Amino acid sequence: MKRIRALVPMLALVLAVALALPAGGQDKPRSGGVVTWFDYGDPGRLDIHAESPLSVQQATAGIYSGLLQYDPEDPVKIAPDLAERWTASPDGRTYTFHLRRGVKWHDGQPFTAADVKATFDRVLNPGFKSPKCGARLKPMVASVEALDPNTVQFRLKAAAPFLPSIASAWCRIAAKHVLDKHGDLQKPEAQIGTGPFKFKRYERGNLIEWEKNKDYFVPGLPYVDGVKQFILVGGPTQLAAAKAGRIMLWDTWPPMRKTQAEELARARGDAVDIYQHPVNTIWIVYLHTQKPPFDKPEMRRAVNLAIDRHELVAKTLEGAGVPCAILDPKLVGDYALPLDEVKKLPGCRQPKDQDVEEAKKLVAKHYPNGVDLEVAVRSVGNYLDRAQLLLTQLRRIGIRGTLKSYESAAGFAVFGKGDFTMIATQDRAMDTTDPGDVFALVYTTEAGSNWGKFSDPKVDDLTDRALKEPDRAKRAKLYHELQRHLLQADLSGIPVAWVEGYYFRDKKLMNHRPGWTAYDNNTFMKVWLKE
């Protein structure tokens, strides 16, 4: 097989990928051309602060700017964006951001500190559900103040990993006058940003298009005239577009499986670079704790015991994944429990016979004749294949599921309202590489994607303490305690695996480097196209 680079270990992984892939730094950037890309599903709603699907963030990535960002040419580095510089108090509890002057919104209005305050007042409002930016910042931030038109100050509740969170692609700055006019950012006409591109067109189910912002605050950027992302649902459609050269980049979810990468390599040969790396995303099975049969903790335990993570990874991810773990050591190092320990716990241990027998008894205790239920799944990626295998495993213990599939945006709407009993498969991508992300996203009572309404005071307490613990060794110890507790609890968000996979970049696309998460480094502000 040609040009598939298996790039492995640890947090330096993304940097390794970036260094391994030619970026065209020795060539002089040229202007012009359009980047072609794809989105796995129709975003439906476009509010970057109120939604959680990657399809929403991706649809608007180049439109907005943040206070900070991950450097497009050095994705491990936090760099200025709308804030040209910042300072922190000695105790790490006060951050002051000094804003760029002369920046304009795409409609010509001036950007000021009032826009920053309006943005964070919105996402931090207790009554506003902000599943990404808000869920991450609410435990940290006590107040936000505009000191003058060009200066904003954040006061934290305690020292915490604040900068990675404020640099998150979900914490982009919205215009106060746009929020005042529209009330939210859901519609295309509300997509007024300060980013390198303007929102040009959204054809539902077909295309999202950006055009160059000629008044971008970084002189000379962007190089390309625009970006087109085709809405391509399903792996076969996405792979066909890649093989035909219709898209220049596959750096987004879902990753290619190994066999798909091999097929692309045969079709495109030396025209593309293909590489492998984790996508910083965990596969979760959700059970609703307030609906039968999963209002009974023992029924949740039965599902946890019955799921064969190793089989699911081997057959549906073609082995490209880390089963069972709540934290992946390759991504967060020793904050994660050692995999040798995780693999010995109920639900993960092999062979499965002991766990399956125990699960059968638990189901029979509550439902002697077994139980039938409807199981939700979004019809994206290979979710349907994953769900079918999962239901086959659950039938062995007396849980008989019938799949109900949803288009991507419709599925998220159903999940957010809690209108389900079980979600067979859902990948949740982390917002940063901080180990606290997965707990703020899935496991705490106020977690952004705690769709199953799980609540455990010990989990909330340990998560909060670990987030605010400045000593690294003590923080790691708290996360170990938290993982051990969760892996033996009757969870509503059952961890299946950390997802990995393959990606490609057309060699005409220069100066593009993969980000730390699926959400980063997709603004295309510094890429250019080689003739």
Side-chain angles (χ1 to χ4, degrees), residues 152 202 247 260 443 448 486 518:
V152 180
Y202 173 21
I247 55 176
Q260 291 176 311
Y443 291 110
L486 282 168

Side-chain angles (χ1 to χ4, degrees), residues 295-354:
D295 55 340
K296 300 174 179 62
E298 287 186 327
M299 290 297 293
R300 302 198 296 272
R301 189 184 314 163
V303 173
N304 182 45
L305 289 167
I307 295 174
D308 189 336
R309 282 88 159 164
H310 300 277
E311 182 183 37
L312 287 166
V313 169
K315 291 184 177 179
T316 67
L317 302 182
E318 296 182 355
V322 179
C324 308
I326 290 179
L327 288 175
D328 181 355
K330 288 203 295 295
L331 295 171
V332 298
D334 62 1
Y335 285 118
L337 276 183
L339 292 180
D340 286 346
E341 177 179 344
V342 172
K343 290 176 181 177
K344 294 176 183 176
L345 294 174
C348 191
R349 59 194 174 190
Q350 295 285 311
K352 288 292 294 181
D353 299 357
Q354 179 181 348

Side-chain angles (χ1 to χ4, degrees), residues 71 103 114 154 173 187 190 199 204 244 269 308 343 414 416 442 512:
D71 191 329
V103 176
F154 288 73
I173 307 302
K187 297 179 180 179
F199 199 90
R204 287 186 180 270
D308 189 336
K343 290 176 181 177
V414 167
V442 179
H512 176 272

Side-chain angles (χ1 to χ4, degrees), residues 49 65-67 119-120 133-134 137 165-173:
H49 299 146
S65 309
L67 283 176
T119 292
F120 289 101
C133 185
L137 291 182
S165 298
I166 210 74
S168 162
W170 293 96
C171 290
R172 301 278 166 80
I173 307 302

Side-chain angles (χ1 to χ4, degrees), residues 282 284 286 428 430 437-444 447-450 493:
I282 187 171
I284 299 288
Y286 283 93
R428 293 281 70 193
M430 300 302 104
D437 269 24
V438 70
F439 307 106
L441 186 62
V442 179
Y443 291 110
T444 58
S449 296
N450 180 12

